[in-house]
Amino acid sequence: STDTLTSLLAELGNIPVVTDPTIVRRRSRDFFWYSPVLNDQLNGKSADLIVTPRDEADIIRVAAACARHRVPLTVRAGGTGNYGQAVPLAGGVLLDITALDTIEWIRPGQIRVGAGAKMNAIDAATQPSGYELRMHPSTKRTATIGGFVAGGSGGIGSINYGGLRERGNILAARVVTMEPEPRIIELRGDAAQKINRAYGTTGIITALEMPLAPAWPWIDVVVAFDDFMAAVEFGHAAALADGIVKKLLAPITWPLPSYFGALKSCCPEGKSILIAMIAEPSLESFRNLLGGRGTITLEMPTDDGPSKVPLYEYTWNHTTLQVLKSDRTVTYLQCLYPHDRLLQKVEEMRTMFPDEVLQHLEFIRFNGQLTCSGLPVVRYSDAERLNEIIRLHEAHEVHIANPHVYTVEDGSRYKRVDVDQLGFKHEVDPYGLLNPGKMRSFVAER
Ligand code: FAD
């Protein structure tokens, strides 16, 4: 109620807040509109106010006040999530965490940083010492490390290190609990998985310790092929060539490249493409492996400075965005192919939906195996047909992490929440105030 919010505001003292309803409504959104299904469900949902803490002490004060007054709190970072992850379903406070961006330390292969730090800033800080983040989403230029760990799964670099869920990819996390007297908990090693992809329902992350990878001079490469399967087969060969150092291998079927705006000059009519990032010393071996199988149409050092559009912004979830820019009738899916029948299953899905599901794959490591994540662009007719397409994939052993649902459980491949995460939530958020409605298995105790 208004009274509750007034007393909450009084307790926040001089912590900056935004109450202008137009701004609050706008910032309560993320990229859920990718999904016509979520767009119907989430449009119009909004927080009541935005609080902008300046440091961890401010966050503790906000958490204490919200817990005392039983006001919901949803953390917002870069706001680039795809499933309404940062959309408050029950109003309350939207906590803008982006001021917590301090780098605590950098050591060889490791960094400890405020959760609100942008990934681009992290790489810029560590690259001079020869290191960079092991992986980043294609939204690296706007997304934060905390948002990636709380809402993302993997991305550019996952071909070498797998996703965030692989042991060792998150070294530690510091979280503030949602209680009248908030505690600070340091989760180290495997325990840090309790906050991975929990959409901020298991604590407010204030700092993260992340492992780093060697920072190679990366070269953006586009290769054109007559046929999509030729792009997939070559991508597979390049992925398996351990001597060729890479960070990205993404086969994309024609006609998707016809939507690629500024990249169109590198995308010949009718050709499927492979987008790659190859370490400069490996480029010659990459070209040798390619031989006459395809034609290189772009070779350029990766540059993701503030005003640049790097090649990786045509890959991962950006492929769909490039198409959505001129065609709002499409949407997408997130598939995981079985590693032992990869090419066969890709061919099967392509044959089953020749014009309706347009193939886009990302080579990744998963559970120690090389496989593909599929992020196909889907020509949307209605929710029923979309569910049928999902069902047909699963019937053919191509697993789906459904991007058209907003709970942690429904978005996971197993349709359930990790037991550790659910148990941890009871410890850190007993009243169920953190991003309420997103972890549907949780029932508040008090
Ligand atoms: P937000 O969207 O602000 O938040 C994401 C979730 O994390 C929310 O639930 C929020 O409440 C929670 N959260 C944020 N910070 C904290 C914190 N400090 N403590 C607790 N909870 C917190 N994802 C991938 O994994 N790989 C990709 O390649 C990828 N590509 C994308 C491409 C496009 C075009 C788009 C629109 C999205 C893409 N995404 C991808 C999804 C998203 O961009 C990433 O997951 C990104 O890392 C989210 O970071 P953010 O700072 O924008 O987080």
Side-chain angles (χ1 to χ4, degrees):
S1 71
T2 319
D3 284 354
T4 314
L5 291 178
T6 311
S7 8
L8 180 86
L9 274 171
E11 277 185 43
L12 295 183
N14 64 355
I15 303 175
V17 296
V18 178
T19 52
D20 178 338
T22 315
I23 301 176
V24 177
R25 267 201 299 274
R26 181 158 34 86
R27 311 245 349 251
S28 295
R29 299 172 59 83
D30 62 12
F31 281 77
F32 63 79
W33 54 265
Y34 257 53
S35 160
V37 181
L38 290 180
N39 204 25
D40 286 346
Q41 293 171 353
L42 301 180
N43 214 356
K45 299 268 185 239
S46 177
D48 296 302
L49 71 156
I50 303 172
V51 182
T52 314
R54 297 152 297 188
D55 52 26
E56 192 182 68
D58 278 357
I59 290 185
I60 292 171
R61 200 157 157 194
V62 180
C66 285
R68 272 199 289 274
H69 294 283
R70 305 286 195 272
V71 172
L73 181 153
T74 303
V75 180
R76 179 193 160 97
T80 65
N82 285 109
Y83 336 113
Q85 289 158 308
V87 175
L89 300 179
V93 166
L94 192 67
L95 183 103
D96 177 341
I97 193 113
T98 51
L100 269 84
D101 62 353
T102 312
I103 292 174
E104 288 178 36
W105 47 253
I106 300 170
R107 296 179 193 152
Q110 273 170 278
I111 185 167
R112 187 165 173 110
V113 65
K118 283 190 178 174
M119 282 176 270
N120 224 16
I122 295 177
D123 274 359
T126 57
Q127 275 161 350
S129 54
Y131 288 98
E132 63 188 19
L133 287 167
R134 284 185 174 179
M135 69 191 75
H136 63 79
S138 57
T139 45
K140 178 187 165 197
R141 291 193 305 148
T142 39
T144 65
I145 191 68
F148 185 41
V149 166
S153 53
I156 294 97
S158 289
I159 189 168
N160 300 317
Y161 295 96
L164 285 166
R165 62 185 286 285
E166 301 287 347
R167 171 169 287 144
N169 279 339
I170 306 168
L171 298 177
R174 182 172 161 106
V175 302
V176 170
T177 67
M178 190 66 170
E179 299 171 290
E181 281 169 33
R183 291 166 295 147
I184 291 171
I185 300 178
E186 175 88 3
L187 300 166
R188 295 209 62 91
D190 292 354
Q193 287 295 331
K194 291 172 183 177
I195 46 90
N196 177 208
R197 210 176 157 86
Y199 302 0
T201 59
T202 56
I204 303 167
I205 308 163
T206 56
L208 285 160
E209 218 173 286
M210 300 297 285
L212 303 173
W216 293 91
W218 297 109
I219 308 294
D220 288 346
V221 184
V222 176
V223 192
F225 295 86
D226 290 338
D227 173 58
F228 177 65
M229 284 315 288
V232 179
E233 277 158 30
F234 172 67
H236 194 228
L240 287 171
D242 288 335
I244 296 178
V245 179
K246 55 260 169 187
K247 199 173 178 182
L248 175 70
L249 287 169
I252 300 173
T253 194
W254 180 263
L256 297 178
S258 69
Y259 293 90
F260 283 2
L263 196 66
K264 264 169 89 173
S265 58
C266 310
C267 303
E269 179 76 19
K271 306 280 186 196
S272 291
I273 60 170
L274 176 81
I275 291 184
M277 282 170 69
I278 305 295
E280 192 169 29
S282 291
L283 200 55
E284 191 178 346
S285 308
F286 180 81
R287 288 194 208 111
N288 287 341
L289 179 65
L290 177 66
R293 291 197 250 187
T295 311
I296 293 181
T297 59
L298 176 83
E299 253 185 39
M300 196 177 67
T302 303
D303 184 352
D304 55 7
S307 59
K308 301 294 167 62
V309 178
L311 186 61
Y312 65 70
E313 286 188 17
Y314 292 88
T315 69
W316 285 84
N317 287 16
H318 264 87
T319 310
T320 307
L321 184 62
Q322 297 294 353
V323 180
L324 278 167
K325 279 180 187 168
S326 52
D327 183 352
R328 290 295 281 262
T329 67
V330 302
T331 186
Y332 77 121
L333 284 177
Q334 301 174 148
C335 316
L336 180 70
Y337 281 89
H339 70 89
D340 50 351
R341 281 149 299 158
L342 178 60
L343 299 180
Q344 174 204 331
K345 289 291 169 186
V346 168
E347 178 73 71
E348 253 174 62
M349 289 307 103
R350 190 168 85 116
T351 315
M352 193 166 353
F353 311 101
D355 301 315
E356 195 179 13
V357 181
L358 302 169
Q359 299 299 328
H360 155 211
L361 303 175
E362 296 289 343
F363 280 94
I364 55 164
R365 291 184 66 82
F366 186 89
N367 271 345
Q369 304 287 348
L370 177 75
T371 188
C372 277
S373 167
L375 294 157
V377 173
V378 178
R379 294 199 197 280
Y380 184 72
S381 38
D382 56 31
E384 201 182 320
R385 175 61 188 161
L386 190 62
N387 285 330
E388 176 67 2
I389 295 172
I390 292 175
R391 199 192 59 74
L392 286 167
H393 275 79
E394 289 186 329
H396 285 79
E397 297 162 280
V398 180
H399 297 289
I400 301 279
N402 189 352
H404 304 281
V405 291
Y406 58 73
T407 63
V408 175
E409 289 88 345
D410 294 329
S412 83
R413 271 175 308 116
Y414 308 105
K415 309 287 175 279
R416 59 177 154 79
V417 65
D418 183 281
V419 283
D420 273 4
Q421 288 190 345
L422 187 58
F424 189 59
K425 181 164 176 70
H426 281 279
E427 264 177 60
V428 301
D429 182 26
Y431 311 116
L433 297 170
L434 288 175
N435 207 354
K438 300 294 171 57
M439 190 182 275
R440 63 168 165 72
S441 332
F442 174 81
V443 182
E445 288 150 30
R446 287 169 259 177

